[in-house]
Amino acid sequence: MQNIIIAIDGYSACGKSTTAKLVAEKLGFTYIDTGAMYRAVTLYFLEHYISLDNPKEVSKALTNIHLSFQKTASSTNADMFLNGLNVEDEIRKMYISDQVSQVSALKDVRVAMVDQQQRMGKKKAIVMDGRDIGTHVFPQAELKIFMTAEMEIRAGRRQQELLEKGQLVPLTDVIDNIRKRDAIDTTRKESPLTKAEDAILVDTSHLTIEEQVDIVLHYATEVVTAKIKG
């Protein structure tokens, strides 16, 4: 497979991350979880009581945040490390989900994260998922996928994910969280969640993860074949 950039955007709990991880694994590409980056920043802000309404405070805090993806003995994919500490489990908790959209909507935060993401993708051969990968981070990506799904199905998936991590959260709370995040993500001024004109829409409501992976791999093969012929 030729080195290309695969951008997978969409709403939360549509299967983006799981699909992206498996696609990267099958292609031998690097997987970059941009959501984990914003969650790690959110964790730092909460732990250090950073005021989101104070631009100077936010800007200064960002200079003290060092993020990296590192493989561990217990993980099949790289975990998120914040200033040298593995925060992979902590950033998946509900209290982070409740705040991450507000943090990621800040201009300084997005500028800092996008800069890192673009540097990570210079060599291509990456699969990156998020909210603005195909529209802002890598508008030149050879393959863009935009995922969506029905609200009840998304909420059920997220609730199951939390349960597997030992967090029992009522479905109504999960739905409220997803709706709040959708509203913030789609209306923020900085790189709002929107489908790129050349992105392929995939409704995952009634698809298994295996089917989602197969769809992305199918389009990836088409893109590479077209490049070779062209």
Side-chain angles (χ1 to χ4, degrees):
M1 176 71 71
Q2 280 193 352
N3 289 349
I4 62 172
I5 294 175
I6 300 176
I8 302 180
D9 291 306
Y11 297 94
S12 60
C14 286
K16 295 190 310 297
S17 295
T18 304
T19 298
K21 288 175 186 176
L22 292 172
V23 168
E25 188 178 303
K26 289 181 179 295
L27 295 178
F29 283 14
T30 298
Y31 166 62
I32 299 174
D33 181 357
T34 64
M37 298 172 71
Y38 288 106
R39 284 173 174 270
V41 172
T42 300
L43 175 62
Y44 183 92
F45 280 12
L46 289 173
E47 288 183 338
H48 293 81
Y49 305 98
I50 304 301
S51 172
L52 303 188
D53 297 322
N54 188 327
K56 289 185 178 180
E57 199 172 322
V58 168
S59 181
K60 182 179 179 181
L62 286 169
T63 64
N64 295 320
I65 294 175
H66 303 285
L67 305 179
S68 63
F69 289 100
Q70 300 179 35
K71 284 272 192 179
T72 66
S74 61
S75 63
T76 54
N77 295 286
D79 287 350
M80 170 52 66
F81 279 69
L82 168 62
N83 293 340
L85 296 176
N86 189 332
V87 295
E88 184 65 31
D89 290 337
E90 193 66 24
I91 62 173
R92 305 299 174 182
K93 293 183 178 179
M94 196 66 181
Y95 79 98
I96 298 294
S97 296
D98 283 337
Q99 299 295 323
V100 65
S101 287
Q102 291 95 314
V103 172
S104 61
L106 298 175
K107 182 177 180 178
D108 284 351
V109 172
R110 297 209 73 82
V111 168
M113 294 303 102
V114 168
D115 178 65
Q116 287 194 40
Q117 292 155 16
Q118 289 175 333
R119 281 190 275 114
M120 290 175 180
K122 279 187 176 180
K123 294 182 180 179
K124 295 196 173 187
I126 63 166
V127 182
M128 186 178 288
D129 75 285
R131 300 289 193 278
D132 62 346
I133 311 306
T135 56
H136 185 64
V137 182
F138 289 113
Q140 78 279 19
E142 288 87 349
L143 176 59
K144 301 175 187 177
I145 303 290
F146 189 91
M147 290 186 171
T148 186
E150 298 168 11
M151 173 59 73
E152 291 74 15
I153 291 175
R154 292 167 60 199
R157 289 172 177 170
R158 179 53 50 80
Q159 185 186 46
Q160 183 60 34
E161 288 176 6
L162 292 168
L163 188 60
E164 290 171 358
K165 296 179 183 298
Q167 302 176 62
L168 181 58
V169 182
L171 188 62
T172 52
D173 290 356
V174 179
I175 291 175
D176 286 345
N177 171 260
I178 291 177
R179 282 181 174 155
K180 181 176 73 173
R181 292 185 63 187
D182 284 354
I184 295 173
D185 290 342
T186 56
T187 60
R188 68 189 182 211
K189 292 182 179 179
E190 298 300 322
S191 305
L193 169 62
T194 184
K195 176 182 172 293
E197 289 185 6
D198 54 346
I200 297 164
L201 180 65
V202 177
D203 188 328
T204 71
S205 298
H206 305 291
L207 296 175
T208 64
I209 289 297
E210 291 75 17
E211 289 171 331
Q212 292 174 209
V213 171
D214 286 343
I215 288 172
V216 178
L217 290 175
H218 166 75
Y219 284 116
T221 300
E222 282 193 347
V223 167
V224 171
T225 300
K227 285 186 67 169
I228 293 173
K229 289 181 178 180

